[in-house]
Structure formats: C-alpha cells, structure tokens
Amino acid sequence: MSSSGARLWWQLLRMGRSAGRASESGRTRFLALLMATVVAALAASAFVVSAATFDGREARGMARNPVLAGQGEQPKALWSRYWESEHGRQYSVVVLWPLTADAPLPPGLDRWPAPGEAFLSPTLAEGPGREDFTRRYGHMAGVVGETGLATPGERLVYTRPSEAMLNSSFLEGVTGFGAPGPGFGDVRLIGEGRERDCAVIMALLLVLPAAGLVVAAVRMGAHGHDRRARLLHLMGANRRARAWLDLGAAIIPVALGTLAAGVLLAPALVWNLTLPWIDFTLAAADLREAAGALIRAVLASGLAVLAVALLLGPSTTRRPGRAPRRRAGNGGILGRISVVACSVSFGAAFVSVWAAPQTPAVYLIAVIGALATLPSVIGRLTAGLAPRLAASAHKRGAPGRLIAARALAARPGTVVRLVSTLIIAIGVVGQTQLITSLLEHRSGDTRLLNSAEGNSMALVQAADRARPSEEFRAALGQGVHMVSLGHADLQPDGSSAGRIIQAPCADLTALALPCPEPGTGETVPFGRLDRRLKAMSYRFFGDTDATVRTGPTARLDPQNTYLVVFAPEGTALDMPTVKRAARLTLSTGAVIRTLAEGSQSYTLGFHARWLSFLGGVGTAFITLAMVFSTLSEFLRFARGLAPLTAVTGEYEVFRKTAGWSVALPLAVAGVAGIVAYVFLAQPISNVSHGAELSGELCLFLLALTVTLSVTAAFAAHVAAVREARTWRPRAD
C-alpha cells in the first residue's frame, strides 16, 4: 500500500471516530458497544471455562482411581468407596488401609491417616458444625489437597477405620492410583454427554442474549448512520471507504471492551472463583492451562463485534438503474429466508423429542433458531400490514396512526431492533423455567427432603461383615427406635415371598405392630404397615406382607443387614449422630438413607440450579440490550417527530404516534414470545418428558409486556414532547 493509501485509511478511521462521537446517540452507542464486547467475550469465555473444567475434573478423577491388584500381585493397600449424602447431595467416602511401608498415597494426601482418622475436603471441613463432619468418620487429621479433588469445591472423605472396624466391610487390594476408566465422586455424577448439553444450553441462555446485545449496540443511532452513509455514497465513497469509517466509529469502544473483559477474567487465573447461587468453584489451575484459549476467545469476541458492526452497518442508497435492496424483515430474499428458517426451527423443535429423544441438544438448537429468527418475521409482518394501517388511518383522519404506519412500512428494521430483545428475553426466561422444571420433575421432592417428616426415619444397609448392632443402638441415644428387616423365604435369584420385621416389643409398638410371643410370628398385611416403613423399604422388599417377630435387632439375611432407625412421626432424627454411629460402630461401608432419600435421587435437582444461574446471567444480558435498544428508539422517535410541532401546533399527535409505533410492536412481540413459549413447551411437557408449562409465568410475562409497552410509549411521548419544545429549524 502506498503512503497516500496508508494516510487515507488512517484519516478515514479518525473521521469515523469523530463522526461516531458527534452522531446521534454517540456517547450512548460508545457505552453500548463497550458493554456488548464485554458480554460477548464473557459468553465466549464460558465455553473455554466449561471445557477446561470438564477436562481438569476428568484428569484428576482418573489420577485418583485405584489400580486394583491383579491375580498373583501383592496389594500395597486396601481400598473401598461408598456413597454418602447430605440433604440429597451425594459424595464419596473412601476407606483406606495401607499394607506396606511404601504404599503410594492417593493424590491430595501428604500422609496416611492413622487408624480412626479421616481427611476431609475443605468444603466438608468448613461445613456447618451441626453436621458433625469433623467427627463423623473419625478424628479429622487434615484436609484433602486440590490435586486430589475433581473440583476445589468437591465433597470427599478419605478415612482409615479403627482396628476394631477394619473388617466391618469389604476392602479391595490395590497397588497404586491412576487407573483409567470411570471415576468416583463428583466425576461419577456427571453423565455422558453433559459437556455437549452444557454447551448448547450456554448457547441458548448466554450467547443468544449476548448476540441480541451486540446487535442492539451496533444499530444504535442507525437512522443517523444510514443518512451519513447515503451522503458519503453520493459524494463517491466506495464500500471500502465506508467500512473504514464504520470501523473507526466502533474500534475504540470494542478495544476497551476487550481489554475490560480480559481484566475481569484475570483474577480467575490466579484464585479459585466460587460462582454465586450454584456454589460451584472454578479451579484456577484449570483456567491457567486454558489461558491461551481464553485469550483467543476474548480477542475473537472483539473481532466478531467489529465484524457485526461492518455487516450491519448503514445501508446505501440505490445506484441509478438498480432497484433498492430490501432488508431482512421487509420482503426480499433475506425476509423470505427468515420466515422459512423460523418455520423450520419451530417445526424441528416440535418433532425433535420424538425424532431424537436421546439427543436434547437437537431441541435446544431448534429453539435457538426459532428465537433468533422470530423478530425478523414480526418485522416483516408488521411492514406488510403497515400499508393497510396507513390506508385506514388516512380514511379516518388519524394523523398519529398514519405517521406510525408509514414509519413502520419505511423502516421495518426499527421494529426488528425494538422487539428482538423482548422476544429473546421471554424465550430465555421461558426455556429456563421449562428445562428447570423438567430436571426437577425427575428429581426428588425437596419439600420432603428438608422436612421433619422426611428425616424421621432412616434405613441403614450394611454387608454381612457388619459388626453386631448393640453398640450402634447404644450410640443412637434416648428416644430413638430401631427394627431389623429381612426377606422371608429368600430365593437364590433374590426373590422373596415376604419380609420379616424383628425388634424388641417397645420398638415394634412404636410402629403400631404386634408383639408376638418369643419364638412365634404374626403376619401383618402390607397395607397395615407404617406408611413411612412402606415407602422406605419398598425398593428392597416391594409390597410384601410382613412376619413380625419379637427379638433383638440382628442381621436376618445371609448377605445384608437392614436396620430401620426412626423417631416418632413428625420428629426429625439427629441424622449426623445416626450416620456417625453407623460408620464408627456398625460398618465403615454402611449406607444410610433417610425417608426422603429412600427411593429418590436429587442429583438432577442440583444440576437444575445451573439453569437458573445461566438463565439469570442471560436475562441480565438481554435486559441490558433492551435498555440500549429502547433508549435508541426513544431518541430517534423524539428527534424524528419534533418538527411536527410546526405543522400540528400541538403535542397530542406524539402520544398517539408513540402508541402505534412503540407500544403496538412491543405488545405484538410480547404476545408472540408467550405463544412461542407455550408452543415450544408442548413437546417436552408430556408425561414421558415431564417439563411443566407455568401458567403463572405466562400471566407474569403478559403483565410485563403490557407494562413495558405502556411505559415505553409514555417514555417515547415524553421524550418527543421535550425534544419538540427545544426544536428549532436548521439546515439538514
């Protein structure tokens, strides 16, 4: 490039920067572009953070997997792992016993725990004192280091039993750690394909709102930009020159936004960052490994915003002999494409759950397509109906409606910008509610989980190596009852014709059961059993009748011990005490399930909190876009109508014009968004899928639409009146 050419593009950049600052909504557009770049960079970085977290979690999970001793190999340690749960949240308890002096340590431990000691992850060590984590598995000797945790916030226990409890459960021989294959702990709770599903959900709840904000920021003050582009075109400026001008107007705020995003992300590379609401901690070590990808994502986001600024830049006037180009939303090839794409997306979303039931990503991708194209369809329909509205207004002599109709017909892009943020906002909120309800429907009842009723009974299951239950019963304290369960006529295939309930008479009476003479039994039909006992034991005993026997609590089955610990109905057990007593006196591998946890998993319920978190962030993004978009339209509306005072001599026309050109499109968009929410809910709200359409949310969104439409029209009217009072004729 020649020196004169170099000076020209530099001059064009400077001219674009000056024109951007001096143009309509110049300062507001500067701020909008800066914030849009920050949001776009954070949304893109979320994918890098997610991938790095999944990779780091999998690598650390594999590093702590035990290498089982093969046939003929001398084991160096004994190892076993059991599930524990706290208010529905599962975590792993690892039981260890070294056999040789050179036994390799599991990752995260700096020494072997002594008999009766335990190492806890920091999250458990700092947990509520009422849960008694520091004594539940023995004396706490220290915390598990980050190298031994899948994530810094993982719950995990390494415990070494006392000499007396060593043989109370089955332990496998291991030669070391670092075996490939599925891990345990938090890693095990992440199902196959979760990384892909997470990426699609982030695209829906984060990227789509971020894209809405970028488009809203780029097109702020679009009317003035378009007018300047037409002037430059008449002066002979080609596409490249106009592109340099557009680049000059956007490059400074985009560069500052890119820098700001990098500053916001930098602390996460140094310190572990705990995300609010979901209580998930990101590992700084994982993000440092992905630092290069993070930098590329931030820079690529800035370049993407600049690309959008150029692609959605001002239109040009037609050249002699050529028809004017039609923009998306008002006919033309792009308008037709948007209609077809929107129809295909809605259809694909509706049939995807039957065509690809095991691939929820297909449904989510179709939803993204539907929400992204629906605003253009509304803009096209509005532009198509505007001539009829104008004809009706002209016939009835309604100047406000006539002005609004002609403005809508002439600038359908204005409608698209005005309604897109509202539609995306309704879509994000609606999909967050739908997917959250779907996961919660497949999860346990949280109300029962946190109630006294749900914690009034617990089933303790231990293998045949469990110690006698007398010491366990004594450790439970006063006012707690216990009965033992077993299968009657247990067959080799595990089937049984009934169940046996055995306990001292006082415990049987507490369950409203008879006390037969010792050595005899009395049959109690299933329907007469305590409802808590039926719910608690159904998983293992079905709906079989019970043979009640008076006697000590003991193991009644050859392979398993089943003990039911309970308090009076409506009174919660001291579960930390029950769990501590079971682990330290009955079996290190005892599994304790409360009534609320007996046959339900709450894992999906905890995963559902991610949707609320991402949906909340996405809603914040799109709300910001809505503010900038409507602010831009208010300013354009006010400045465009101000000269009417010279013609009409009164301000009433502003109110009516605002109602038709601002309130009406917003109301149509809100109703369309609610209809889209209801339509998209149908394929996943049947019995087999379980999402729940919220009528309350529909009413709330409808009320929000009405409120927003009226408020926006009033604000536009006020802005127009204020502008009109200060308007003076000037050369244009």
Side-chain angles (χ1 to χ4, degrees):
M1 179 182 292
S2 65
S3 59
S4 60
R7 287 196 299 270
L8 177 61
W9 71 260
W10 178 249
Q11 289 174 350
L12 290 172
L13 280 176
R14 294 179 63 186
M15 289 173 60
R17 180 187 176 191
S18 299
R21 286 187 299 181
S23 65
E24 177 183 307
S25 308
R27 293 182 179 179
T28 308
R29 185 174 188 264
F30 185 97
L31 178 61
L33 280 172
L34 190 154
M35 299 187 72
T37 306
V38 172
V39 166
L42 294 180
S45 299
F47 290 88
V48 178
V49 171
S50 174
T53 299
F54 273 103
D55 291 344
R57 176 159 43 189
E58 184 177 355
R60 287 186 293 273
M62 188 179 299
R64 70 190 185 190
N65 277 352
V67 179
L68 301 180
Q71 187 173 4
E73 282 189 289
Q74 181 66 32
K76 296 188 175 183
L78 300 176
W79 184 97
S80 190
R81 191 263 312 161
Y82 304 97
W83 280 117
E84 171 70 289
S85 64
E86 199 60 47
H87 294 294
R89 184 168 185 173
Q90 289 185 309
Y91 59 94
S92 290
V93 177
V94 179
V95 181
L96 299 165
W97 189 277
L99 296 175
T100 63
D102 62 343
L105 285 168
L109 298 188
D110 55 7
R111 68 172 178 86
W112 286 99
E117 287 186 341
F119 281 82
L120 276 62
S121 64
T123 300
L124 287 180
E126 298 167 4
R130 64 178 181 276
E131 298 296 344
D132 201 23
F133 289 126
T134 57
R135 298 194 310 138
R136 184 181 297 183
Y137 311 99
H139 173 70
M140 178 180 164
V143 297
V144 181
E146 283 192 19
T147 57
L149 301 174
T151 61
E154 183 183 24
R155 298 181 173 199
L156 182 67
V157 178
Y158 282 107
T159 179
R160 182 175 179 180
S162 64
E163 294 278 358
M165 295 294 294
L166 174 60
N167 296 318
S168 63
S169 63
F170 179 75
L171 300 175
E172 296 180 288
V174 300
T175 59
F177 299 91
F184 57 89
D186 277 2
V187 178
R188 192 65 175 269
L189 297 176
I190 305 299
E192 186 178 355
R194 293 293 184 193
E195 184 174 1
R196 177 198 59 206
D197 294 342
C198 181
V200 178
I201 289 174
M202 286 193 299
L204 172 62
L205 301 183
L206 292 183
V207 175
L208 188 59
L213 176 57
V214 170
V215 172
V218 165
R219 293 300 291 166
M220 282 198 73
H223 181 64
H225 297 167
D226 291 349
R227 186 173 55 197
R228 185 172 66 247
R230 287 192 292 269
L231 177 61
L232 291 170
H233 180 73
L234 292 174
M235 294 173 63
N238 58 20
R239 289 181 178 273
R240 179 178 298 179
R242 294 195 300 273
W244 281 116
L245 288 169
D246 292 339
L247 189 62
I251 193 168
I252 298 299
V254 170
L256 291 177
T258 303
L259 180 62
V263 171
L264 290 175
L265 290 170
L269 302 178
V270 181
W271 300 286
N272 294 335
L273 178 65
T274 300
L275 302 177
W277 168 243
I278 51 175
D279 194 29
F280 183 84
T281 303
L282 298 173
D286 293 342
L287 301 191
R288 284 194 293 270
E289 288 289 328
L294 276 174
I295 293 173
R296 290 192 293 272
V298 171
L299 294 177
S301 300
L303 293 176
V305 175
L306 288 177
V308 173
L310 296 179
L311 290 174
L312 299 183
S315 61
T316 62
T317 57
R318 60 177 174 174
R319 296 180 183 178
R322 293 192 181 183
R325 296 182 179 180
R326 290 188 173 186
R327 313 199 79 179
N330 186 25
I333 185 63
L334 292 180
R336 289 193 289 272
I337 289 175
S338 67
V339 173
V340 173
C342 187
S343 303
V344 170
S345 296
F346 273 103
F350 198 80
V351 303
S352 63
V353 293
W354 290 283
Q358 303 303 319
T359 312
V362 175
Y363 169 81
L364 294 174
I365 292 173
V367 169
I368 294 173
L371 296 177
T373 54
L374 185 56
S376 294
V377 174
I378 292 178
R380 176 184 171 88
L381 293 175
T382 304
L385 294 174
R388 297 182 182 180
L389 183 63
S392 173
H394 181 74
K395 182 177 180 181
R396 295 177 180 272
R401 197 194 322 169
L402 179 62
I403 295 170
R406 289 180 174 174
L408 293 176
R411 292 189 293 272
T414 299
V415 178
V416 176
R417 291 192 297 273
L418 187 63
V419 305
S420 59
T421 52
L422 179 59
I423 289 176
I424 293 174
I426 292 176
V428 167
V429 172
Q431 287 300 308
T432 300
Q433 183 275 322
L434 285 173
I435 304 174
T436 300
S437 68
L438 186 149
L439 294 180
E440 290 180 345
H441 180 80
R442 299 179 181 181
S443 188
D445 184 357
T446 55
R447 291 173 298 181
L448 181 63
L449 178 67
N450 298 309
S451 67
E453 175 73 10
N455 291 278
S456 64
M457 181 177 284
L459 177 65
V460 180
Q461 181 187 5
D464 57 346
R465 296 190 179 191
R467 290 161 52 86
S469 61
E470 288 79 6
E471 189 177 353
F472 172 56
R473 171 185 278 274
L476 294 176
Q478 298 294 321
V480 178
H481 299 279
M482 185 171 72
V483 301
S484 56
L485 299 179
H487 291 85
D489 302 321
L490 185 64
Q491 301 300 312
D493 62 357
S495 61
S496 171
R499 73 181 73 191
I500 301 171
I501 301 177
Q502 181 172 305
C505 186
D507 296 313
L508 295 175
T509 302
L511 280 180
L513 294 172
C515 297
E517 292 293 328
T520 65
E522 183 173 333
T523 301
V524 176
F526 177 77
R528 286 180 49 197
L529 295 177
D530 182 274
R531 62 183 179 82
R532 296 178 297 165
L533 182 63
K534 289 190 290 187
M536 171 67 67
S537 60
Y538 185 85
R539 175 180 177 182
F540 299 98
F541 297 92
D543 58 357
T544 58
D545 297 339
T547 300
V548 179
R549 301 192 310 213
T550 303
T553 52
R555 176 163 55 91
L556 304 180
D557 281 0
Q559 301 297 327
N560 287 291
T561 298
Y562 299 98
L563 299 173
V564 176
V565 180
F566 60 97
E569 191 167 357
T571 303
L573 289 167
D574 183 356
M575 287 308 303
T577 297
V578 173
K579 292 183 176 183
R580 181 174 186 272
R583 295 284 185 185
L584 299 183
T585 64
L586 184 66
S587 172
T588 58
V591 178
I592 305 99
R593 299 182 181 88
T594 64
L595 173 62
E597 300 169 323
S599 59
Q600 303 178 90
S601 172
Y602 293 86
T603 299
L604 289 178
F606 283 102
H607 289 172
R609 296 188 305 166
W610 276 96
L611 294 168
S612 300
F613 174 73
L614 295 175
V617 175
T619 302
F621 289 172
I622 201 62
T623 301
L624 191 62
M626 193 179 302
V627 169
F628 284 123
S629 179
T630 52
L631 178 60
S632 175
E633 296 308 318
F634 291 165
L635 294 174
R636 185 204 60 78
F637 178 87
R639 291 167 181 166
L641 293 187
L644 286 178
T645 53
V647 179
T648 63
E650 49 91 24
Y651 302 130
E652 181 65 19
V653 68
F654 296 158
R655 181 179 62 82
K656 295 179 179 179
T657 305
W660 286 100
S661 62
V662 176
L664 180 61
L666 285 175
V668 171
V671 172
I674 295 171
V675 171
Y677 160 65
V678 174
F679 182 88
L680 294 171
Q682 300 310 307
I684 61 173
S685 60
N686 54 41
V687 176
S688 60
H689 292 90
E692 182 179 351
L693 177 68
S694 174
E696 293 83 359
L697 181 60
C698 288
L699 293 175
F700 170 77
L701 293 175
L702 185 60
L704 180 65
T705 297
V706 172
T707 303
L708 181 62
S709 301
V710 173
T711 303
F714 178 76
H717 165 69
V718 171
V721 171
R722 182 183 298 113
E723 188 74 17
R725 287 172 176 167
T726 60
W727 179 80
R728 296 292 183 272
R730 59 185 175 87
D732 192 359

